[in-house]
Structures are given as C-alpha cells and as structure tokens.
Amino acid sequence: SAGFQVFGIDISEKVITQISSGNLNVHEPGLKPLVQQMLREGHLNLSMQPVSADIYLLAVPTLLGPHLE
C-alpha cells in the first residue's frame, strides 16, 4: 500500500494458488483485506520462482507449543 512492488515466493503451488485467490492460511487482523487489495492493484505477485530484488525477507513457520500448534 506504500507503492512497493512485492513478490511472494513459495515452494508450494497450493500456497501460491490459495493466496492468489485472496485466501490466507494465517490470521492477522487486517491482513486479508490488505492482501486482496494488493492483488487487485497488481502490487503483489506470487510465484514459485525467485526474482531479482533489492530486499529479501524470509518468513518460515514457527511452532508455538509442545503439540506443534
């Protein structure tokens, strides 16, 4: 929403398809409408192949409890 071009990369085609349709597998207040807006406006691109960029941010799942929650 600040005018940046964002590229989301994942190794799972299922995840790319899910996010591309505006559905998220995480709950963060306000994130879903923001992702949907960014997709509509063409500021968020999703792929299974990395692209050249000035900045890279890696996000990995973090287990929150002893039962893999």
Side-chain angles (χ1 to χ4, degrees):
S1 67
F4 293 101
Q5 191 66 33
V6 177
F7 296 91
I9 310 299
D10 200 288
I11 61 171
S12 169
E13 186 173 348
K14 179 180 176 183
V15 170
I16 297 295
T17 301
Q18 179 181 358
I19 297 172
S20 293
S21 67
N23 296 311
L24 306 179
N25 61 353
V26 297
H27 176 71
E28 180 69 31
L31 183 60
K32 185 173 181 175
L34 178 61
V35 167
Q36 291 171 337
Q37 175 186 350
M38 299 297 284
L39 288 166
R40 274 193 314 274
E41 294 176 358
H43 295 292
L44 175 59
N45 301 284
L46 302 162
S47 174
M48 292 178 62
Q49 299 298 318
V51 297
S52 179
D54 292 325
I55 298 172
Y56 294 91
L57 173 67
L58 303 178
V60 295
T62 303
L63 303 178
L64 302 176
H67 303 288
L68 306 179
E69 307 169 317

